[in-house]
Structure formats: C-alpha cells, structure tokens
Amino acid sequence: MKYSILIALSMISVSTFAQESPLTFNRNTEFNSGYYKFNNRKETLLEKQIFDIGKIKNLNFQKIILKDSKDNSSFSVLGIMTFFETFDSISKRTITFDKEEVNLLINNLQILEQKTSSKPSTESKYKYLTKNYLEVGSSFNEISNSWTYYIKLPNSSSQNPILLDKTEFKELLNILKKIEKDL
C-alpha cells in the first residue's frame, strides 16, 4: 500500500514538473530590419518625420524618416498605417518596409498583375507574403468574372482582409513605385 501511494505521488510530481511551456512564435520580424536598429539607438536624440504619400481604403501609405542628431545620419522606410476596430478597442498600427523590401514587394505585385491579366482556365489563387507577414494576393471571382485582390495585415486574425478591385490594385502599385524613388 505504501509503495503504491509513493509511486502515485511520484508519477503526479513528475508529470507536474515535466510539462513544457508552450512555444511562443513572434510573427513580427521587424527586429531584423535596419529601421528597428536605427530606431533603438541609445544616448542620442532621434527625430521622426512622417510624410503622407497616399491612401487606399483604410491604409495610409507614408514615408518615414528617422534622423540621428548625434551624427546627422538618417534612415527612410515605407510605412503602411491603418486603424482597425474590435468590439471594445480601436488600434492604430504601422508596418515598415525598407527600400529592399519595397523593391521586392513591387516586383512580386507586378508579377501578380501579369498573372491576373486574363481569365484563368481553372480556379486560381495567388499569395505573396513579406518578411514581416504582410500578405497580398488575388483570387478569381467567377460570379463577377474578375480578379479580386486583397491585403491582409500581420497579427490581425480578428480583421478581415482589405479587398481591392483592379483600379485600386494599380493605385497601390503606383504608390509603391512613387515611394520607392524617395527611399
């Protein structure tokens, strides 16, 4: 009897202390960007300037310039800012892209534009995912006989994708090309 109680207590204690903590996965990879490193400089005064470039639906496209007063260096990025609302809160969020990421985004969206220029013979969908998990894609809508484009922001499971028509998608490409020259 003593042995069975001792074994039961041993099993309970082993199972209690042997549990692993759940893995956490950080979907925001901005910590790898030059903007994040520049923004977190110590012992210097940083100035942040924000210039509005354009707006599509509830997405505001901005050029963000950080300046270091110590050595007069600066760093420019594209910022995509949005507001989104849940039942009990309203949030503002800005996702940043450096020049290399903007170039890659433009190239992939131009390829997407070419692929969606005609009606597909089979059901087709496209998706592009950036390093910091901004998702842009398209699917063919047979009812309207046209392509529907979408943008989905990272870490926004409660938010639906932002749907764009063909003219709004072209406007998105034009805004990205415009800011690419300034970065």
Side-chain angles (χ1 to χ4, degrees):
M1 180 77 171
K2 286 182 180 179
Y3 290 117
S4 58
I5 292 173
L6 185 60
I7 290 174
L9 287 173
S10 299
M11 296 291 279
I12 291 171
S13 65
V14 166
S15 66
T16 302
F17 294 113
Q19 291 179 358
E20 293 181 25
S21 62
L23 294 174
T24 57
F25 180 67
N26 185 1
R27 291 185 58 123
N28 186 358
T29 58
E30 285 186 328
F31 59 86
N32 290 330
S33 74
Y35 176 77
Y36 182 81
K37 291 174 186 170
F38 197 95
N39 193 34
N40 288 315
R41 287 186 176 185
K42 307 284 188 240
E43 300 177 348
T44 187
L45 179 64
L46 294 176
E47 176 185 357
K48 185 177 192 177
Q49 297 176 337
I50 300 171
F51 303 95
D52 289 328
I53 303 297
K55 183 175 180 171
I56 299 175
K57 298 221 173 176
N58 66 342
L59 297 175
N60 295 317
F61 295 85
Q62 305 166 330
K63 178 181 177 183
I64 301 171
I65 301 173
L66 283 178
K67 292 183 180 180
D68 186 339
S69 63
K70 193 182 234 180
D71 62 4
N72 288 327
S73 60
S74 65
F75 196 86
S76 299
V77 293
L78 161 67
I80 301 176
M81 193 268 294
T82 187
F83 289 96
F84 57 93
E85 183 175 351
T86 62
F87 180 75
D88 58 350
S89 68
I90 298 174
S91 300
K92 178 176 135 178
R93 176 148 213 221
T94 302
I95 304 162
T96 59
F97 298 89
D98 62 18
K99 185 175 179 84
E100 181 183 312
E101 292 169 318
V102 172
N103 290 337
L104 197 55
L105 181 60
I106 290 170
N107 289 338
N108 281 286
L109 293 185
Q110 286 174 332
I111 292 168
L112 176 63
E113 184 179 37
Q114 290 170 359
K115 298 251 184 210
T116 59
S117 63
S118 62
K119 181 179 177 181
S121 57
T122 61
E123 183 177 348
S124 299
K125 297 179 181 183
Y126 297 98
K127 174 178 100 169
Y128 175 68
L129 196 62
T130 65
K131 282 191 229 178
N132 55 0
Y133 294 93
L134 175 77
E135 184 178 321
V136 182
S138 183
S139 62
F140 189 76
N141 184 340
E142 290 186 23
I143 296 170
S144 66
N145 199 26
S146 65
W147 287 94
T148 302
Y149 301 91
Y150 71 91
I151 296 176
K152 186 165 184 178
L153 303 169
N155 296 333
S156 61
S157 59
S158 64
Q159 183 184 16
N160 294 328
I162 298 165
L163 300 178
L164 307 172
D165 62 21
K166 192 168 190 96
T167 56
E168 291 168 327
F169 184 76
K170 285 185 180 283
E171 187 179 343
L172 169 67
L173 267 171
N174 289 336
I175 288 172
L176 292 173
K177 288 176 185 176
K178 179 180 174 182
I179 199 165
E180 176 190 29
K181 295 174 186 175
D182 293 338
L183 292 181

